[in-house]
Amino acid sequence: MSSTQNLFTIQFWGVRGSIACPGPETVRYGGNTPCIEMRVGGKRLIFDGGTGLRVLGQSMLSQMPVEAYMFFTHSHWDHIQGVPFFIPAFIKGNCFHIYGAPAPNGATIEKRLTDQMLHPNFPVPIRVMQADLNFNDLELGETVEIEDITVENALLNHPGEAVGYRVNWRGYSAAYITDTEHFPDTLDKNVLQLARNADVMIYDATYTDEEYHSKGSSKVGWGHSTWQEAVKVAKAANVKKLVIFHHDPLHNDDFLDHVGEQASQQFPNTFMAREGQTIQLGRAATSNMVSVEEAKITV
């Protein structure tokens, strides 16, 4: 049996929200938009197709042919812009099972990804992709079973709707909860359900409370949350490790360092998502890996 069949690892390929922001002030945390890869029991799961998907695709070229299961939270641009540049999808022999909940207007994930690549938006249509693309419409609350892996979903509070995911495998669990806005007077029951007792919770903490409630530039209603709310959810849901994710493009590396320090004071098992970082569930961390069983993070 391959050693990968006994592993549950999470790797971050894009951790920014809204728009890619490469440059000298975002080098340490990265400037690509959302894309997370989970390698679970020998299967490859990909969550969102932001600009980080292009980088993931480059890393996969030495592993052809590949099969992967792709789950989209929604189709705002920062979560799908990497799809037209995902080289493995253009290579015959590869296979991608693509999942997403229909938009409020009824548009399927297939239609939305297809429309993105039509003129005048893009010069190459999706039909040029030679890999097998199997599109699947998700119902809210539906559980997808991939052998002994289960993937749950739940509706999040975001303009135009988004869904969060939870991956379960052999007693381990990881929640991916991005593009959600907290409620002013209560914790979101859908978020708590996805995050319940999770080994890792990846949470949209785009803003600070000060930014969110700013009198001059309020972010209320923009569809994102804060690191302070992330801490509340992590405590209430009894998660083992909290990952601050979907960093605002205006937050440079030093700013994110400061957020990480503040969040860790309130929830010690917190770290800031960085491109290229890997979490390995249930095993000791090595090199740039982070284990949920460790008290400290190694980068």
Side-chain angles (χ1 to χ4, degrees):
M1 178 178 291
S2 169
S3 60
T4 61
Q5 293 180 301
N6 294 315
L7 297 179
F8 187 151
T9 61
I10 305 167
Q11 186 161 1
F12 296 87
W13 296 95
V15 301
R16 292 279 169 176
S18 303
I19 190 170
C21 53
E25 293 190 335
T26 60
V27 170
R28 284 189 280 114
Y29 288 93
N32 281 302
T33 60
C35 181
I36 290 178
E37 177 189 21
M38 298 189 190
R39 304 292 294 273
V40 187
K43 300 294 185 182
R44 188 192 304 262
L45 282 61
I46 300 170
F47 292 86
D48 279 330
T51 60
L53 182 64
R54 183 193 68 84
V55 188
L56 169 57
Q58 292 295 314
S59 76
M60 294 167 64
L61 294 179
S62 62
Q63 305 166 31
M64 304 287 109
V66 295
E67 180 181 28
Y69 300 80
M70 304 179 71
F71 294 85
F72 287 85
T73 56
H74 63 315
S75 58
H76 284 166
W77 285 345
D78 53 331
H79 292 255
I80 65 172
Q81 282 181 317
V83 173
F85 303 93
F86 184 48
I87 299 303
F90 291 86
I91 300 175
K92 190 173 183 179
N94 295 331
C95 180
F96 299 100
H97 309 276
I98 302 169
Y99 295 83
N105 67 355
T108 65
I109 189 63
E110 180 177 10
K111 177 171 174 54
R112 286 174 280 160
L113 294 182
T114 298
D115 288 352
Q116 179 188 211
M117 296 178 66
L118 293 176
H119 294 300
N121 298 320
F122 199 75
V124 178
I126 198 169
R127 65 174 180 271
V128 174
M129 292 180 168
Q130 295 298 301
D132 290 332
L133 305 180
N134 302 314
F135 290 93
N136 302 271
D137 294 331
L138 281 176
E139 294 185 10
L140 294 177
E142 177 185 358
T143 297
V144 175
E145 296 184 0
I146 307 168
E147 294 185 359
D148 59 347
I149 304 164
T150 60
V151 183
E152 304 171 34
N153 80 75
L155 183 66
L156 300 178
N157 181 31
H158 191 67
E161 296 188 355
V163 295
Y165 292 100
R166 176 188 174 98
V167 178
N168 307 290
W169 178 75
R170 297 185 184 179
Y172 294 110
S173 57
Y176 177 57
I177 305 169
T178 189
D179 288 61
T180 193
E181 184 167 359
H182 57 275
F183 297 121
D185 54 356
T186 187
L187 295 178
D188 188 331
K189 64 180 182 180
N190 286 352
V191 169
L192 291 175
Q193 175 65 15
L194 291 172
R196 66 191 187 280
N197 302 312
D199 292 293
V200 175
M201 180 182 75
I202 303 162
Y203 186 85
D204 173 354
T206 301
Y207 307 120
T208 66
D209 274 356
E210 294 75 17
E211 291 171 325
Y212 183 76
H213 295 291
S214 170
K215 292 182 179 179
S217 181
S218 171
K219 301 301 188 294
V220 175
W222 287 32
H224 301 287
S225 193
T226 71
W227 70 261
Q228 289 94 337
E229 291 293 328
V231 168
K232 292 178 185 178
V233 172
K235 290 179 177 179
N238 192 37
V239 306
K240 293 184 176 66
K241 187 168 289 292
L242 166 63
V243 182
I244 301 297
F245 184 75
H246 204 274
H247 308 316
D248 191 292
L250 295 177
H251 292 172
N252 62 23
D253 290 332
D254 291 341
F255 189 100
L256 294 179
D257 283 344
H258 184 57
V259 168
E261 292 168 2
Q262 291 179 298
S264 294
Q265 290 174 4
Q266 296 191 27
F267 192 81
N269 291 324
T270 299
F271 81 92
M272 308 295 288
R274 299 173 185 254
E275 282 185 31
Q277 196 162 38
T278 301
I279 301 171
Q280 187 164 299
L281 302 190
R283 290 173 177 267
T286 59
S287 65
N288 70 331
M289 287 189 176
V290 180
S291 168
V292 296
E293 295 179 348
E294 285 202 330
K296 295 184 178 180
I297 297 165
T298 54
V299 180

